[in-house]
């Protein structure tokens, strides 16, 4: 069994034993052996400071002009600190019963009214634990914090449907109470456990802006199809996306569900969803703000100022302008920063899911969806390209230490004023949760952030999911997994020192003598350091000035020891660690499942564990805390905490996810003194290879987000839902056109399969397209002679032909018998051919419309598609011969497309 054991002391964590996993733990445990956060690499003069610690998955920070600091936590609590130096927060609001804190859902947005605190309203965006207009909690949790999604329906199966919500919080009516809530907007339908609501913010115009993701699956090409779980606790098409009602699964080409909700504004005939867009509303009423670009349609259509976004998790405004700068969390290939120059001048479409980055998204392109095909036909000008993008496989800055692979842009903020050097004035800072880095894009000569002035600002930052400009213009970061708020400060020409503490023990029986060592502290300028210690935890640095002091603890207590180091030019830094005297940590043991247990999607896995303590003995069930974590490893790994439970045991249903990924079952036990022990069990999935093939061979097929010529092999997790697709466009073998007929499993051209237990090949069969002209009545302008009649050009034989007289113009007309959809022709010429000719269509054989005007015929097989239209008659009208003879095609063929 591969296990990692941690000992926790108060607010600090120390690794006592770490057996290396096959995948690095950097994304899971961002602590060093002495309990200090790994040092961030920063430009000269900058320092990363930890401002607040001990938070539970913080997501947002907001600063009040009166010095107070508000912090939102993912589970639905909002805490307030009196100042940046306050170490004890007060609970301002507790919406946990209403918030669905599951996987990537939770309370994710926070904003103060521009006139705060005179106007005391606080705005929050969160995943509501209920459907739109429904009661809560729809998906309850046993401990009130770690919400669940039972199976069925399964979080990544049919999905636990919730709604996105923006609410107003006001101070309580009675002192000491919690804030009161008024729902402002609730119209985001969220089927799957990511891409929920995100930022809520006030623009410089005083209007309220909010963003929401598409609420779709992150595992496959999701257009609203059934995810193929065994039960319909959640019905097919639960959001009622067009063109079908709730309870009816959607299918290409007409489907408009799943990620296509992000393009819903283009279909005004049906109700508009807010998913995948940014809205601008009146902060008092939630109605569309004056000046919005859409003035017709329903209320939601009028609210939207930008759409075509996958997950605009974080956005901000460029100081002094109304420009929106949004980070859009990418799918398989690209992370984007999108610039929306004006929320009122133009309605902006960023292209998702039809596009990712600047290119067509392979999975959605391969599904042949009308909503995307129409957007492609409209051309590149129909969408706005990202201002900046970076590939998951590439460094943002060449040579940097930041990892590649897993990527998720999770914070954007501008620096406008303050102590930072002038070069940073107007600079855009952005961060990536998975890469643990912050970058800065300094402004160019036009004032906009310049990609030519892009540099790595900070590394080893932890998993930041928000950046905010705060007091003094400094950039602050919110570390979700680390439970802390950090601040990037500038100290001019002096590089401040970095404090570090080591100790030979952190707990033990009384009397407890501990030897401390501060010599690991450093100063980038190489200057001598001074030391001041608070060894007894009274808050005063008066216990020692030695670099390596000792202290004996004689009473049972938990003490926070602090070291303050200083350099000769006034720079200081503080480090702390915890000592627990008179106690020893407990031991956590996972008793089931057993080592080596492997899972398929949908498997129910029971787990049990124990906690024992040297002083307390067997710990009660309430002391055992479980977390289920998904590690996604396309190259480097990043983690998603799915859910948690409390007690001696429980169960979970293995979720769907793309491969490579694995599950971590993490147990933490805590004794009466607050000491903890954590153990983890790695659970790897069962995998299988699926192969997509075509007959005839070699046509393009799509698996998930990959399009390639068949055969295409993909490794997936057994039981996972995999989107596959075969092109419905005309395919060619030599000069013969083929069309999709069927998949070997009976599915439509684009559909989902459930990954089987054994390697399986799925074959898409194509058939010769129907030649609409074959054997139909035909007339010609002239015939060269016997054996060259017009009918011989539509008899399906390549050794018979029509030949005209040796003059121009000449024509050959086919009667299709009734009006049919036509969109492509083939002319298979004999040696005599047309140099210049037209393809014309008609409903009555009298009035003709030219659909092709060919001026470079070369006597080979000519074929070309045109915009499909209905016609009964099709003719070739030759205006210039390619030879001295007449026009002489072996065959004139007509197809639907």
């Amino acid at each position: 069994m591969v296990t990692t054991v941690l000992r926790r002391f108060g607010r600090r964590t120390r690794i006592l034993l770490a057996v290396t996993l096959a995948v690095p733990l950097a994304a899971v445990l961002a602590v060093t052996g002495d309990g200090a956060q790994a040092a961030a690499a920063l430009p000269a003069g900058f320092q990363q400071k930890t401002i607040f610690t001990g938070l539970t998955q913080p997501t947002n920070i907001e600063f009040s002009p009166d010095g107070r600091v508000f912090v939102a936590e993912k589970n639905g609590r909002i805490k307030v600190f009196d100042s940046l130096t306050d170490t004890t927060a007060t609970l301002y609001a507790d919406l946990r019963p209403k918030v669905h804190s599951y996987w990537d859902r939770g309370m994710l947005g926070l904003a103060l009214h521009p006139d705060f605190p005179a106007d005391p309203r606080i705005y929050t965006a969160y995943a509501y634990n209920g459907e739109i207009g429904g009661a809560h909690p729809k998906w309850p949790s046993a401990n009130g914090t770690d919400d669940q999604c039972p199976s069925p329906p399964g979080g990544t199966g049919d999905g636990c449907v919730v709604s996105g919500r923006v609410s107003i919080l006001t101070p309580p009516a009675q002192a000491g109470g919690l804030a009161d809530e008024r729902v402002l907007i609730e119209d985001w339908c969220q089927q799957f456990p990511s891409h929920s609501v995100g930022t809520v913010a006030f623009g410089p115009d005083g209007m309220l802006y909010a963003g929401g993701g598409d609420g779709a699956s992150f595992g496959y090409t999701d257009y609203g199809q059934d995810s193929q779980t065994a039960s319909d606790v959640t019905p097919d098409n639960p959001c009622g996306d067009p063109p079908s009602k709730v309870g009816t699964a959607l299918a290409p080409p007409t489907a408009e569900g799943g990620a296509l909700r992000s393009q819903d504004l283009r279909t005004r005939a049906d109700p508009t969803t807010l998913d995948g867009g940014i809205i601008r509303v009146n902060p008092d009423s939630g109605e569309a703000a004056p000046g919005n670009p859409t003035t017709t349609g329903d209320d939601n259509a009028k609210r939207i100022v930008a759409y075509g976004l996958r997950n605009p998790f974080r956005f901000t405004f460029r100081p002094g302008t109304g420009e929106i700068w949004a980070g859009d969390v990418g799918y398989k290939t690209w992370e984007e920063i999108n610039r929306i120059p004006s929320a009122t001048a133009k309605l902006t479409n960023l292209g998702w899911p039809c596009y990712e980055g600047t290119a067509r998204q392979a999975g959605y392109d391969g599904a042949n969806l009308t909503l995307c095909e129409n957007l492609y036909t409209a051309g590149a000008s129909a969408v706005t390209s990202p201002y900046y993008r970076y590939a998951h496989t590439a460094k943002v800055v060449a040579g940097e230490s930041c990892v590649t692979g897993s990527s998720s842009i999770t914070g954007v903020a501008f620096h406008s004023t303050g102590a930072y050097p002038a070069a940073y004035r107007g600079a855009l800072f952005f961060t990536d949760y998975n890469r643990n880095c912050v970058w800065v894009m300094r402004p160019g000569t036009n004032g906009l952030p310049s990609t030519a002035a892009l540099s790595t600002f900070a590394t080893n930052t932890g998993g930041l999911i928000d950046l905010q400009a705060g007091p003094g213009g400094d950039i602050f970061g919110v570390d979700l997994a680390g439970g802390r708020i950090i601040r990037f400060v500038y100290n001019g020409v002096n590089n401040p020192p970095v404090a570090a503490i080591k100790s030979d023990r952190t707990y033990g029986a009384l009397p407890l003598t501990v030897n401390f060592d501060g010599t690991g502290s450093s100063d980038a300028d190489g200057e001598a350091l001074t030391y001041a210690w608070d060894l007894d935890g009274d808050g005063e640095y008066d216990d020692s000035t030695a670099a390596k002091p000792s202290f004996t603890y004689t009473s049972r207590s938990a003490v926070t020891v602090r070291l303050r180091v200083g350099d000769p030019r006034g720079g200081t830094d503080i480090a702390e660690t915890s000592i627990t005297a008179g106690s020893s940590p407990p031991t956590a043991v996972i008793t089931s499942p057993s080592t080596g247990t492997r899972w398929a999607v949908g498997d129910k896995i029971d787990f049990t564990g124990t906690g024992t303590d040297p002083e307390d003995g067997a710990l009660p069930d309430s002391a055992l805390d479980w977390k289920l974590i998904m590690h996604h490893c396309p190259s480097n790994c990043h983690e998603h905490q799915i859910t948690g439970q409390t007690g001696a045991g429980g169960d979970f249903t293995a979720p769907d996810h793309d491969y490579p990924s694995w599950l971590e079952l993490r147990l933490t036990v805590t004794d009466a003194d607050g000491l903890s022990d954590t153990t983890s069990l790695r659970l790897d999935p069962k995998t299988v290879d699926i192969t997509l093939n075509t007959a005839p061979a070699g046509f393009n097929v799509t698996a998930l987000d990959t399009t390639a010529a068949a055969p295409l092999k993909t490794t997936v997790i057994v039981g996972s839902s995999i989107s596959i697709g075969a092109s419905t466009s005309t395919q060619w073998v030599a000069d013969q056109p083929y069309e999709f007929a069927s998949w070997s499993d009976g599915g439509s051209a684009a559909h989902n399969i459930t990954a089987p237990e054994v390697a399986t090949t799925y074959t898409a069969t194509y058939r010769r397209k129907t030649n609409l002209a074959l054997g139909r009545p035909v007339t010609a302008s002239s015939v060269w002679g016997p054996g060259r009649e017009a009918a011989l050009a539509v008899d399906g034989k390549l050794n018979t032909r029509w030949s005209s007289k040796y003059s121009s113009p000449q024509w050959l007309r086919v009667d299709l018998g009734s009006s049919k959809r036509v969109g492509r022709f083939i002319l298979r010429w004999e040696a005599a051919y047309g140099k210049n000719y037209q393809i014309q269509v008609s409903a009555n054989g009298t009035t003709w419309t030219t659909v092709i005007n060919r001026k470079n015929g070369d006597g080979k097989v000519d074929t070309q598609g045109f915009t499909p239209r209905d016609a009964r008659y099709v003719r070739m009208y030759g205006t210039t011969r390619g030879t001295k003879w007449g026009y002489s095609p072996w065959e004139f063929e007509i197809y639907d497309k």
Side-chain angles (χ1 to χ4, degrees):
M1 183 172 92
V2 180
T3 305
T4 300
V5 182
L6 310 180
R7 307 292 188 190
R8 285 192 172 88
F9 303 97
R11 292 183 177 178
R12 290 294 174 185
T13 304
R14 183 177 185 187
I15 301 177
L16 291 187
L17 172 64
V19 181
T20 303
L21 296 175
V23 178
L25 279 173
V28 183
L29 309 172
V31 292
T32 59
D34 61 4
Q37 185 73 27
L42 291 159
F46 283 92
Q47 187 179 23
Q48 177 181 306
K49 293 276 192 179
T50 297
I51 305 302
F52 302 128
T53 60
L55 298 163
T56 302
Q57 292 191 299
T59 56
N60 266 139
I61 185 169
E62 293 293 328
F63 304 95
S64 169
D66 61 11
R68 285 182 293 167
V69 183
F70 291 82
V71 178
E73 294 181 331
K74 183 174 176 288
N75 59 25
R77 292 181 297 192
I78 298 175
K79 295 177 178 178
V80 57
F81 295 85
D82 293 334
S83 67
L84 287 173
T85 59
D86 185 11
T87 59
T88 304
T90 301
L91 187 63
Y92 179 81
D94 189 351
L95 302 183
R96 283 181 294 176
K98 299 179 180 180
V99 174
H100 195 231
S101 183
Y102 171 76
W103 211 302
D104 294 339
R105 292 172 173 170
M107 180 178 283
L108 303 176
L110 189 68
L112 307 183
H113 192 278
D115 296 329
F116 196 90
D119 187 327
R121 287 179 291 176
I122 295 177
Y123 293 74
T124 183
Y126 65 87
Y128 172 62
N129 196 342
E131 297 183 15
I132 296 173
H136 71 274
K138 182 174 177 62
W139 314 104
S141 62
N143 60 13
T145 298
D146 298 305
D147 293 319
Q148 308 297 316
C149 180
S151 185
T156 51
D158 278 340
C160 285
V161 178
V162 301
S163 62
R165 172 181 280 189
V166 171
S167 289
I168 301 174
L169 303 176
T170 54
Q174 296 181 353
L178 299 179
D180 296 318
E181 178 189 18
R182 176 170 73 88
V183 178
L184 188 67
I185 304 171
E186 185 187 336
D187 214 355
W188 290 269
C189 183
Q190 308 280 301
Q191 183 175 0
F192 292 107
S194 196
H195 311 172
S196 183
V197 290
T199 295
V200 58
F202 279 89
D205 55 5
M207 296 297 106
L208 184 69
Y209 294 72
D214 60 18
S217 172
F218 48 74
Y220 57 82
T221 302
D222 180 10
Y223 41 78
Q225 69 271 44
D226 185 13
S227 296
Q228 301 183 359
T229 52
S231 171
D232 277 333
V233 175
T234 295
D236 294 343
N237 191 25
C239 295
D241 295 308
S244 302
K245 61 183 181 180
V246 173
T248 306
L250 304 182
T254 59
E256 296 179 15
L260 293 171
R261 298 185 197 107
S262 296
Q263 293 292 325
D264 189 42
L265 196 61
R266 292 172 48 225
T267 57
R268 302 289 181 87
D270 51 70
T272 306
T273 175
L274 298 178
D275 297 295
I278 295 175
I279 62 173
R280 176 179 179 265
V281 299
N282 183 311
D284 301 321
S285 66
E287 297 301 317
N292 279 8
T294 300
T295 57
T296 60
D298 58 29
D299 289 343
N300 281 346
K302 296 174 184 177
R303 289 173 170 134
I304 296 170
V305 296
Y307 67 103
L309 293 152
R310 182 173 184 258
N311 185 10
F313 182 63
R314 294 294 180 233
F315 63 83
T316 189
F317 297 88
R318 187 162 74 92
T321 75
E323 297 173 6
I324 303 171
W325 290 70
D328 195 18
V329 179
Y331 185 31
K332 301 292 185 180
T333 307
W334 297 101
E335 300 299 305
E336 300 179 7
I337 295 177
N338 293 291
R339 174 181 177 242
I340 302 164
S342 171
T344 57
K346 177 185 176 183
L347 186 63
T348 303
N349 183 359
L350 284 311
W352 173 260
C354 309
Y355 292 89
E356 184 185 13
T358 58
R360 296 186 185 188
Q361 207 293 317
Y364 290 90
D365 185 15
N368 306 300
L369 298 151
T370 300
L371 205 54
C372 284
E373 296 303 320
N374 289 345
L375 191 60
Y376 299 146
T377 301
S381 62
V383 298
T384 298
S385 296
Y387 184 86
Y388 173 72
R389 61 189 176 125
Y390 59 95
H392 294 181
T393 56
K395 299 282 188 182
V396 173
V397 176
E400 68 183 6
S401 62
C402 307
V403 297
T404 60
S406 296
S407 302
S408 179
I409 187 167
T410 49
V412 287
F414 280 93
H415 170 75
S416 57
T417 61
Y420 289 8
Y424 291 92
R425 201 71 42 85
L428 175 68
F429 290 78
F430 63 96
T431 187
D432 189 305
Y433 171 80
N434 298 328
R435 299 196 186 199
N436 296 327
C437 285
V438 175
W439 298 268
V440 61
M441 195 183 296
R442 295 183 296 278
T445 55
N446 62 357
L448 294 174
S450 172
T451 56
L454 175 61
S455 61
T456 311
F457 180 75
T459 61
N460 303 320
T461 57
L464 303 183
I465 67 163
D466 192 25
L467 294 178
Q468 291 283 346
D474 290 355
I475 301 297
F476 289 72
V478 179
D479 183 355
L480 177 79
R484 63 189 183 125
I485 306 297
I486 64 173
R487 180 181 189 177
F488 297 108
V489 299
Y490 182 71
N491 296 276
V493 296
N494 180 36
N495 289 291
V498 177
I501 301 175
K502 290 183 179 179
S503 62
D504 63 349
R505 64 200 68 198
T506 53
Y507 64 88
L510 300 175
L512 178 66
T513 298
V514 182
N515 298 308
F516 297 95
D517 185 349
T519 58
S521 304
S522 60
D523 184 83
D525 301 317
E527 297 173 326
L529 299 178
T530 59
Y531 303 87
W533 293 85
D534 172 18
L535 299 171
D536 57 11
D538 64 358
E540 301 294 329
Y541 294 87
D542 56 1
D543 297 319
S544 177
T545 59
K548 297 181 178 182
S550 296
F551 196 86
T552 300
Y553 300 89
T554 57
S555 61
R556 184 171 181 173
S557 59
V559 179
T560 300
V561 173
R562 297 178 176 88
L563 166 63
R564 183 176 65 203
V565 297
D567 66 21
R569 288 185 281 178
T572 62
D573 189 32
I574 295 173
E576 63 181 45
T577 190
S578 294
I579 304 297
T580 303
S583 184
S584 297
T587 299
V589 176
I590 295 175
T591 54
S592 68
S594 60
T595 305
T597 296
R598 299 176 75 88
W599 52 273
V601 173
D603 284 353
K604 180 183 176 183
I605 299 178
D606 297 308
F607 58 86
T608 57
T610 62
T612 55
D613 183 72
E615 292 80 27
D616 302 336
L619 296 178
D621 291 356
S622 60
L624 279 68
D625 181 69
W626 300 85
K627 302 296 181 190
L628 181 65
I629 298 164
M630 173 67 75
H631 292 261
H632 184 208
C633 308
S635 55
N636 64 305
C637 291
H638 67 274
E639 68 175 63
H640 297 270
Q641 180 175 312
I642 298 173
T643 188
Q645 296 183 38
T646 301
D651 63 73
F652 68 85
T653 301
D656 197 343
H657 209 282
D658 56 337
Y659 182 78
S661 55
W662 54 278
L663 291 172
E664 177 193 358
L665 183 63
R666 188 183 298 174
L667 170 63
T668 299
V669 298
T670 306
D671 68 12
D673 294 311
L675 302 186
S676 297
D677 179 35
T678 293
T679 184
S680 293
L681 177 64
R682 174 171 173 152
L683 300 170
D684 285 300
K686 300 174 183 177
T687 61
V688 65
D689 288 337
I690 63 168
T691 301
L692 305 186
N693 217 332
T694 63
F699 295 159
N700 278 356
V701 288
T702 302
L704 296 171
D705 67 315
T706 300
T707 298
L712 173 61
K713 181 185 288 188
T714 304
T715 301
V716 296
I717 299 174
V718 173
S720 60
S721 191
I722 309 299
S723 55
I724 66 173
S727 178
T728 57
S729 300
T730 299
Q731 305 293 306
W732 296 85
V733 177
D735 57 5
Q736 300 298 320
Y738 285 78
E739 63 184 359
F740 172 79
S742 64
W743 277 101
S744 54
D745 67 343
S748 58
H751 68 285
N752 277 29
I753 61 171
T754 299
E757 294 185 358
V758 297
T760 303
T761 296
Y762 299 84
T763 300
T765 298
Y766 285 75
R767 65 192 170 207
R768 261 297 255 122
K769 286 180 67 70
T770 300
N771 175 9
L772 301 176
L774 181 65
R776 300 304 308 168
V778 60
T779 56
S781 56
S782 68
V783 176
W784 175 78
R788 298 290 184 266
E789 291 81 7
L792 299 177
V794 293
D795 64 355
K797 300 176 182 179
L798 293 181
N799 58 358
T800 61
R801 56 190 168 92
W802 163 67
S803 294
S804 74
K805 292 183 178 180
Y806 298 173
S807 63
S808 294
Q810 299 288 341
W811 52 263
L812 180 70
R813 185 186 74 179
V814 180
D815 180 356
L816 303 180
S818 62
S819 180
K820 291 183 170 53
R821 197 73 168 167
V822 294
R824 176 173 289 275
F825 80 95
I826 299 177
L827 275 167
R828 305 180 188 274
W829 293 105
E830 190 259 345
Y833 65 94
K835 180 68 173 179
N836 298 339
Y837 61 88
Q838 298 170 350
I839 302 298
Q840 301 174 332
V841 298
S842 174
N844 55 20
T846 302
T847 303
W848 295 92
T849 299
T850 298
V851 293
I852 296 292
N853 192 8
R854 188 73 181 266
K855 294 184 178 181
N856 58 348
D858 57 7
K860 300 178 181 179
V861 176
D862 290 346
T863 181
Q864 190 171 343
F866 51 88
T867 302
R869 61 183 63 216
D870 294 328
R872 174 171 175 171
Y873 300 92
V874 182
R875 76 176 179 180
M876 184 283 297
Y877 188 86
T879 57
T880 304
R881 291 166 292 150
T883 68
K884 64 181 180 180
W885 300 287
Y887 298 85
S888 185
W890 297 111
E891 284 294 307
F892 183 29
E893 302 171 19
I894 308 298
Y895 297 94
D896 58 351
K897 59 181 179 178

